[in-house]
Amino acid sequence: MPSGALSYSVEGVERRDQEREPAVTVTDDGPYAITGGIELLGVTLGEGASKEHYTLCRCGASRNKPFCDGSHWQIGFRDPAEKSRIEKK
Ligand code: FES
């Protein structure tokens, strides 16, 4: 899932189009969007993968956990918090 910032690597060193404060954003009916270079412990990122921004699966359907692979679209994932708010009305 695109996370906004552009980046590229030259000889394994990531270059970014912007510097952002570390943040975790819960997206609507989608993954956690991680920005600002928060280190993900226990995971080896693939070659060329950004260390500055990535998305983490929140729906449980990704075939590339812990990362989001877009499967939330296919399963029609809806935010459980939103669902509970609707049910209370
Ligand atoms: S949130 Fe995107 S695959 Fe799970």
Side-chain angles (χ1 to χ4, degrees):
M1 170 173 226
S3 59
L6 298 175
S7 65
Y8 62 95
S9 295
V10 176
E11 297 181 0
V13 178
E14 186 176 355
R15 314 286 175 156
R16 303 174 189 149
D17 67 339
Q18 60 182 295
E19 295 295 327
R20 296 185 278 195
E21 292 293 318
V24 177
T25 303
V26 180
T27 64
D28 290 339
D29 299 330
Y32 298 106
I34 314 299
T35 54
I38 297 173
E39 183 181 2
L40 186 58
L41 300 176
V43 174
T44 303
L45 295 173
E47 185 176 333
S50 175
K51 296 180 182 83
E52 196 279 334
H53 60 276
Y54 46 88
T55 54
L56 297 176
C57 180
R58 189 164 65 106
C59 74
S62 174
R63 289 162 294 197
N64 188 30
K65 293 184 184 88
F67 302 103
C68 169
D69 70 353
S71 293
H72 59 275
W73 290 104
Q74 295 165 335
I75 67 166
F77 176 71
R78 295 289 176 251
D79 191 319
E82 182 69 26
K83 181 180 174 188
S84 68
R85 282 194 295 268
I86 291 169
E87 290 174 349
K88 289 179 182 175
K89 290 183 180 177

